[in-house]
Amino acid sequence: MEETIAGAQDTQTAGHIPQQRGESLLETAVRYAEERHWDVFPGTWLEAVDGRQRCSCGDASCPAPGAHPARPDWATQATGGATGVRRMWQKQPAAAILLPTGRTFDALSVPESAGFLALARMERMELTLGPVTLTPDRRMQFFVLPGATAKVPELVRKLGWSPASLDLMPLGEGAYVAAPPTRFGSRGAVQWARRPTPANRWLPDAEELISPLAYACGRDR
């Protein structure tokens, strides 16, 4: 089975796709577009204000400083073309790397504690997994095939849960995830809990992961 990180502080950097150590955000964004065929778009960035890092949006209480869209028409910005990616990050090299969902993938977002519990169960079940991100706000996003948003509520009901009772959020069209190594202010950077590799280029369907994720979220309530 593929390696996962053992916890929030364990960063398995070796062998990441892309290799982010020493790379600029521009180079990393280009790799996502070229190697994974993911659309990407630049978000906000961090600025030093009175010795503290603040979000470029200007909101001193921004809930995701340096890690959210910088403009309302962000969906039209997103591109999988390397030339377009380079052009956008050359304008603002410190911009966050954001990935729109509902295109090449959707994501299932769960609390970190439930995510690690589900990962352990999935590995015992030998399920095929796609990439999984771990964010500084203690969320994990499991990448799945597009279409999860429409499927998940009914899948959860079939397992005996009310969708509103579980902290399990499908992210599809109109949403996005922050990609490593985007930083959330002083809270740290987004990491890979399961890194992108050639082996997980083909993503699972939401239906394949929903049972262990729902079970873990139910335990986590």
Side-chain angles (χ1 to χ4, degrees):
M1 297 300 294
E2 207 178 321
E3 281 187 339
T4 62
I5 64 176
Q9 302 303 315
D10 184 2
T11 55
Q12 297 276 347
T13 55
H16 276 189
I17 298 177
Q19 292 288 345
Q20 291 156 7
R21 182 172 294 176
E23 287 191 333
S24 67
L25 288 163
L26 184 157
E27 291 168 324
T28 302
V30 168
R31 282 181 178 265
Y32 287 140
E34 290 187 333
E35 297 182 13
R36 300 300 291 196
H37 305 294
W38 290 338
D39 282 359
V40 300
F41 68 97
T44 52
W45 56 93
L46 296 173
E47 299 176 331
V49 179
D50 297 328
R52 299 179 60 187
Q53 288 189 324
R54 295 282 181 87
C55 185
S56 62
C57 71
D59 182 356
S61 59
C62 179
H68 64 86
R71 44 193 274 186
D73 63 343
W74 60 264
T76 64
Q77 278 189 292
T79 178
T83 300
V85 173
R86 288 190 177 93
R87 185 184 307 117
M88 290 188 291
W89 265 270
Q90 283 169 351
K91 292 179 180 177
Q92 181 45 254
I97 302 174
L98 305 179
L99 311 174
T101 50
R103 300 189 182 187
T104 52
F105 64 88
D106 279 3
L108 303 179
S109 177
V110 300
E112 174 189 300
S113 53
F116 279 117
L117 178 63
L119 271 178
R121 192 176 186 200
M122 290 171 184
E123 290 183 345
R124 289 195 299 270
M125 297 168 68
E126 297 187 350
L127 294 180
T128 299
L129 293 174
V132 182
T133 61
L134 172 62
T135 67
D137 58 356
R138 306 185 75 84
R139 304 287 301 181
M140 293 175 74
Q141 284 92 30
F142 290 72
F143 288 23
V144 294
L145 290 172
T149 303
K151 295 179 180 180
V152 164
E154 185 58 28
L155 290 172
V156 168
R157 290 189 191 96
K158 287 181 178 179
L159 292 170
W161 298 95
S162 162
S165 70
L166 298 181
D167 189 359
L168 195 170
M169 298 186 300
L171 303 175
E173 187 174 357
Y176 63 89
V177 297
T182 295
R183 296 192 64 83
F184 278 56
S186 61
R187 283 176 275 169
V190 183
Q191 304 175 44
W192 288 115
R194 284 183 71 92
R195 54 190 173 84
T197 69
N200 64 21
R201 185 175 297 277
W202 301 104
L203 300 176
D205 190 273
E207 189 169 1
E208 300 172 59
L209 306 187
I210 200 66
S211 178
L213 284 173
Y215 170 80
C217 288
R219 285 275 303 270
D220 199 51
R221 291 190 304 171

